[in-house]
Amino acid sequence: RRAAELQPIRKVREAGGPSTINSDDPGLCGSELTHEYDLLAKFYGFSELEFNHCNDIAAQASFIPLFKKSKFWPRPIHSLR
């Protein structure tokens, strides 16, 4: 089976676990973020709402100060706590 088919992201999301979309080092591993999005759409039927939710979690978890990332993020950023 393909590695993308073995990822537990759907089970994690259904259980209420936080999930983000990431890629390994493109220069080292040859993977890019757009490829990860394509896999999630193709194998898991991710919707725009699900992509937005994963990205909001990533924004919340970012080490960038809230006042800086809030300037660029299209939606309110809530605390993870």
Side-chain angles (χ1 to χ4, degrees):
R1 290 171 50 170
R2 299 181 72 161
E5 295 169 339
L6 300 174
Q7 297 300 321
I9 192 164
R10 183 56 74 197
K11 289 181 183 178
V12 169
R13 290 191 47 74
E14 288 172 357
S19 52
T20 61
I21 304 163
N22 305 285
S23 67
D24 292 325
D25 183 341
L28 182 64
C29 300
S31 68
E32 296 183 2
L33 196 53
T34 54
H35 178 70
E36 303 303 317
Y37 278 82
D38 288 342
L39 290 175
L40 289 168
K42 179 179 178 180
F43 287 105
Y44 296 100
F46 261 47
S47 67
E48 183 177 349
L49 183 64
E50 288 178 296
F51 284 124
N52 286 343
H53 186 255
C54 289
N55 291 331
D56 287 345
I57 292 170
Q60 293 166 351
S62 168
F63 292 111
I64 297 171
L66 179 61
F67 76 94
K68 285 186 178 182
K69 59 188 170 185
S70 293
K71 290 179 184 179
F72 302 99
W73 202 249
R75 293 172 295 281
I77 300 173
H78 305 285
S79 174
L80 287 175
R81 296 176 190 154

